[in-house]
């Protein structure tokens, strides 16, 4: 437990330069945007140059870049992410509205990917070099090469247009109808899960094949233990340590992929929020959204690291 707390402390300290780097990068990118935020807010409204200057002065847009960046860091230190220039709405409240949907999509996609990868990877390893293994390897090869948006287009064509089983551009809150929510989230979640499931299947298969060749497995089999007991009680636990480490990086991919998938299925999550903010040149909203996703990625990786330590005693003894 002491080691886990030390790891947690080190990761939290490493978070500080990471957050500063992310905020500086996003701030700089928005600075080089060709669209003037004041012009973007008023759009086609008939405003004079003096009114635009007054708007820039009221919102600090005419101040130097460094001053605005330090001002943003000051707000961040007090738990604020600023406000939308167009509506004045708090960025924090906008993110708190959009983030739950992205988390739902990511969690559902991760669940589908893990179940598929575990089943297919185990079957492929147990039936190594047989037809089951060959079929799984071909399917996963295609799955790895297929990007999420391409899978999404196929699923929409098959299951929303040709056979209208699932809606393709609708969201139902789970509090209103769980079955309705499940129907609206199935296609986006499967689209998001397929590439990850293919990658994780290959990793789990490789890891399980290595474990199945170890001496303790042959001893257990020689002792008369049923194969399902050997695999379920010993092999699977040891074989999942390496895939668990890879999973942290894949969850980051899932969160990034969710942004694209949300746009394709018209889901009001973080993806839609970010794209609308970029289109309307809302620097505070873009910064807040990117920062939230980056922090989520760090927290997930920290959780995976702790789970790896708890699952593998050798890692605990190897760490200083």
């Amino acid at each position: 437990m002491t080691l886990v707390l030390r790891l947690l402390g080190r990761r939290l300290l490493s978070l500080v330069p990471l957050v500063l780097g992310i905020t500086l990068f996003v701030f700089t990118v928005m600075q080089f945007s060709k669209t003037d935020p004041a012009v973007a807010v008023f759009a086609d409204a008939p405003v004079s140059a003096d009114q635009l200057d007054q708007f820039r002065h009221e919102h600090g847009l005419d101040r130097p870049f460094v001053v605005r960046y330090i001002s943003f860091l000051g707000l961040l230190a007090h738990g604020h992410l600023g406000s939308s220039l167009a509506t004045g709405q708090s960025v924090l409240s906008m993110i708190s509205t959009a983030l739950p949907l992205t988390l739902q999509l990511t969690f559902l996609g991760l669940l589908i990917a893990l179940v598929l990868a575990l089943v297919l990877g185990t079957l492929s390893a147990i039936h190594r070099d047989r037809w089951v293994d060959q079929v799984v390897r071909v399917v996963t090869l295609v799955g790895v090469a297929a990007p999420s948006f391409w899978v999404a287009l196929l699923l929409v064509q098959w299951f929303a247009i040709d056979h209208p089983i699932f809606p393709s551009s609708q969201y139902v809150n789970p509090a209103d109808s769980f079955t309705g929510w499940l129907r609206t989230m199935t296609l986006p979640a499967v689209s998001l899960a397929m590439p990850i499931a293919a990658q994780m299947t290959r990793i789990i298969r490789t890891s399980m094949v290595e474990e199945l060749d170890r001496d303790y497995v042959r001893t257990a089999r020689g002792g008369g233990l049923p194969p399902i007991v050997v695999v379920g009680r010993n092999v699977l636990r040891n074989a999942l340590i390496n895939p668990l480490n890879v999973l942290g990086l894949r969850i980051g991919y899932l969160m990034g992929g969710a942004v694209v998938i949300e746009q394709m299925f018209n889901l009001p999550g973080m993806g839609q929020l970010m794209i609308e903010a970029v289109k309307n040149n809302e620097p505070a909203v873009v910064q807040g959204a990117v920062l939230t996703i980056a922090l989520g990625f760090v927290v997930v990786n920290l959780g995976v690291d702790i789970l790896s330590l708890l699952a593998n005693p050798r890692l605990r003894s190897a760490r200083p």
Side-chain angles (χ1 to χ4, degrees):
M1 183 57 73
T2 305
L3 181 61
V4 174
L5 291 177
R6 280 209 305 268
L7 173 66
L8 185 60
R10 283 202 299 268
R11 284 299 183 90
L12 289 177
L13 285 177
S14 68
L15 202 62
V16 176
L18 179 64
V19 170
L20 287 175
I22 293 169
T23 56
L24 182 59
F25 175 76
V26 177
F27 223 99
T28 305
V29 170
M30 295 303 293
Q31 176 72 10
F32 285 102
S33 171
K34 294 181 179 179
T35 307
D36 186 343
V39 175
V41 167
F42 287 105
D44 298 327
V47 290
S48 64
D50 290 339
Q51 287 175 306
L52 289 176
D53 289 339
Q54 184 181 357
F55 181 87
R56 295 189 188 100
H57 182 70
E58 289 174 352
H59 291 84
L61 298 175
D62 55 351
R63 289 185 292 176
F65 171 79
V66 175
V67 175
R68 282 189 286 132
Y69 179 62
I70 293 175
S71 174
F72 172 71
L73 291 182
L75 286 174
L76 192 62
H78 290 85
H80 300 294
L81 293 173
S83 303
S84 163
L85 291 175
T87 64
Q89 188 180 359
S90 164
V91 173
L92 204 57
S93 69
M94 296 168 74
I95 291 175
S96 64
T97 303
L99 185 60
L101 190 147
T102 301
L103 292 179
Q104 292 166 22
L105 180 58
T106 304
F107 174 77
L108 200 56
L110 180 64
L111 185 64
I112 294 171
L114 284 179
V115 171
L116 284 176
L118 200 57
V119 172
L120 295 179
T122 303
L123 284 175
S124 184
I126 292 175
H127 300 282
R128 181 174 26 169
D129 296 332
R130 298 177 187 171
W131 70 268
V132 175
D133 184 29
Q134 300 297 338
V135 169
V136 171
R137 292 171 72 176
V138 170
V139 170
T140 55
L141 189 63
V142 174
V144 169
S148 293
F149 70 88
W150 185 73
V151 177
L153 289 175
L154 290 181
L155 291 178
V156 168
Q157 181 66 43
W158 292 339
F159 298 109
I161 297 176
D162 294 345
H163 307 285
I165 302 172
F166 299 101
S168 62
S169 60
Q170 183 184 1
Y171 174 69
V172 176
N173 195 309
D176 298 330
S177 169
F178 180 77
T179 54
W181 171 80
L182 201 57
R183 287 187 70 242
T184 57
M185 296 294 281
T186 296
L187 293 186
V190 172
S191 306
L192 195 60
M194 293 309 286
I196 300 295
Q199 295 171 18
M200 293 301 296
T201 298
R202 295 168 69 88
I203 295 171
I204 289 175
R205 178 197 176 276
T206 303
S207 189
M208 285 202 67
V209 165
E210 291 176 357
E211 285 297 320
L212 288 170
D213 287 339
R214 295 190 186 279
D215 291 339
Y216 76 89
V217 175
R218 284 192 285 270
T219 303
R221 284 175 172 171
L225 281 177
I228 191 170
V229 175
V230 177
V231 172
R233 196 172 62 186
N234 302 104
V235 175
L236 203 55
R237 180 181 174 183
N238 295 330
L240 288 182
I241 292 174
N242 288 334
L244 190 62
N245 292 328
V246 178
L247 184 62
L249 298 175
R250 296 297 183 268
I251 291 177
Y253 172 86
L254 273 176
M255 295 178 71
V259 171
V260 178
I261 295 299
E262 284 173 9
Q263 273 300 106
M264 296 188 66
F265 288 92
N266 197 27
L267 298 175
M270 292 293 288
Q272 199 172 80
L273 178 68
M274 288 177 64
I275 290 176
E276 288 299 318
V278 171
K279 284 166 56 181
N280 298 326
N281 204 0
E282 291 270 15
V285 181
V286 176
Q287 289 156 192
V290 172
L291 195 60
T292 302
I293 292 178
L295 289 179
F297 179 73
V298 173
V299 170
V300 167
N301 273 279
L302 177 61
V304 170
D305 220 350
I306 292 174
L307 284 176
S308 299
L309 282 173
L310 295 176
N312 190 355
R314 287 176 296 181
L315 287 179
R316 292 200 293 271
S317 60
R319 297 228 174 192

